[in-house]
Amino acid sequence: MLTGLEYREMRAHLRKISIYHDPYQDDAEKSAARTLMWSSHGTSIVAAAARSDVVVGGVPLSCKSREVALQILEVLSLEETVMESMWNGTSTKQALVGACALTAPADRACRESALSTLAMLAWLDANREPMWSDGPTRQALVVAAQLLAPDDCRCREPALLALYLLSLNTSLKNPMWCDKPTRTALVTASQLGASADRTCRRNALLALAKFSCDGPTAKLMWSDEAAKLAIVRGCELVAQADRECKLMALNILANVSRDHTNRESMWSDTSTRQALVCACALTAPDDCACRDIALWTLCILSEHPVVKGQMWGDAPTQAVLVTACQRIAPTDRAGRELALEMLVNLATHSGAVLEDMLATYPRIATSAVAAAALLDPACADV
């Protein structure tokens, strides 16, 4: 039962402690205040957050008190020393999941705080696997991630952040992808177009990028048409503010291409090929990372025998490779080396390609032959 004094202390602490979203940037005074408040008043705060039988002076507390209690839990969850004990507390877990299920407009702030708290708890590696294994928690996060109304952005965002943080656990990548509701929520969120949903889109793409780092999962991702479409659309983003999302999508393609069974189909897919070529053709200095990852992906694809026979004959691809070989800025060195490596792959595969290179771009072809000779002296006689 929460006393009047404890309730006033809760309100005072809430005013005193600023709400941050980075658990590792905090000063000693705030850290100590959070730890002390959790150890001294945690039980009462959780009881208020659950709101089932909380009274002050014989009068039930209003829904505002539940909102305040959940906001305080959100603040306290920023403290790393509190994260694990908060998750391990059954009553805390039930209070948070219960608040996530609230749907009335008057309870929106409660739901937002509960989801933000779960997202913060997912920062701690020790919490990730048990959070995913807990069915009600998983369902609460996935349901919130699937919300599409503009007013629900502040619920979607922490839910998608939590799913991304869970995806950092190596053992969860494949189970999360194979869980259809989770997969659908992430693929859908990665295509949200509103500027207010940019963070949601970023978190969804970050989670998909983590999945693609797992070989078996990457293979499954490329066979999923909805995921393929979402990834390619991410690669096609052009706004400056979407550069990070674009880079994440390009990274997913690069990871997927590492499975040799995906390479021919990736090259044959017109949308995928165009997305990679367009990224290679970007000219802004800030687009260097996008160019390099796209060139790296094309370089991986060029190792496939069928792709080798077709890549030089594709005019847009040929143009971006030649252009990349001619860039001289220090930041373009990695891209230049990747383009040259691709030309080596293509020239050593086909005498006709080498002859065409020598006739059309003699200086670049000569460099390619010299590079090939360094790799394999037998190539010097090509």
Side-chain angles (χ1 to χ4, degrees), residues 172-188:
L172 296 181
K173 298 183 193 304
N174 190 263
M176 288 182 72
W177 172 259
C178 292
D179 183 68
K180 187 175 180 180
T182 303
R183 180 172 71 247
T184 302
L186 291 171
V187 169
T188 301

Side-chain angles (χ1 to χ4, degrees), residues 7-18:
Y7 179 58
R8 288 193 294 275
E9 287 180 347
M10 284 166 55
R11 296 301 299 266
H13 274 288
L14 182 61
R15 287 192 295 271
K16 180 181 178 182
I17 305 173
S18 300

Side-chain angles (χ1 to χ4, degrees), residues 129-146:
E129 192 164 351
M131 286 183 72
W132 172 256
S133 300
D134 185 73
T137 301
R138 181 172 67 248
Q139 182 178 6
L141 293 174
V142 172
V143 168
Q146 291 175 322

Side-chain angles (χ1 to χ4, degrees), residues 112-131:
E112 292 171 357
S113 290
L115 287 163
S116 293
T117 302
L118 288 176
M120 291 310 305
L121 296 182
W123 276 96
L124 192 67
D125 182 65
N127 286 344
R128 290 171 188 159
E129 192 164 351
M131 286 183 72

Side-chain angles (χ1 to χ4, degrees), residues 266-280:
M266 288 182 71
W267 171 257
S268 300
D269 186 77
T270 304
S271 297
T272 302
R273 185 171 67 248
Q274 288 178 346
L276 290 171
V277 169
C278 287
C280 291

Side-chain angles (χ1 to χ4, degrees), residues 82-209:
V82 174
M83 288 178 179
E84 188 169 5
S85 63
M86 186 178 285
W87 169 254
N88 289 332
T90 302
S91 56
T92 310
K93 194 184 310 179
Q94 291 174 343
L96 293 174
V97 172
C100 289
L102 299 172
T103 58
D107 291 322
R108 185 182 298 276
C110 291
R111 190 177 196 182
E112 292 171 357
S113 290
L115 287 163
S116 293
T117 302
L118 288 176
M120 291 310 305
L121 296 182
W123 276 96
L124 192 67
D125 182 65
N127 286 344
R128 290 171 188 159
E129 192 164 351
M131 286 183 72
W132 172 256
S133 300
D134 185 73
T137 301
R138 181 172 67 248
Q139 182 178 6
L141 293 174
V142 172
V143 168
Q146 291 175 322
L147 296 172
L148 297 177
D151 290 345
D152 288 323
C153 181
R154 292 183 64 183
C155 289
R156 279 194 300 276
E157 191 171 309
L160 288 163
L161 173 60
L163 290 176
Y164 159 60
L165 292 171
L166 296 183
S167 75
L168 298 177
N169 188 304
T170 302
S171 65
L172 296 181
K173 298 183 193 304
N174 190 263
M176 288 182 72
W177 172 259
C178 292
D179 183 68
K180 187 175 180 180
T182 303
R183 180 172 71 247
T184 302
L186 291 171
V187 169
T188 301
S190 70
Q191 300 175 80
L192 293 171
S195 58
D197 281 317
R198 186 164 281 122
T199 301
C200 292
R201 185 165 63 240
R202 169 187 172 274
N203 288 336
L205 284 167
L206 281 169
L208 293 175

Side-chain angles (χ1 to χ4, degrees), residues 257-269:
S257 71
R258 295 169 69 178
D259 188 320
H260 68 92
T261 62
N262 290 336
R263 292 171 188 169
E264 184 178 358
S265 61
M266 288 182 71
W267 171 257
S268 300
D269 186 77

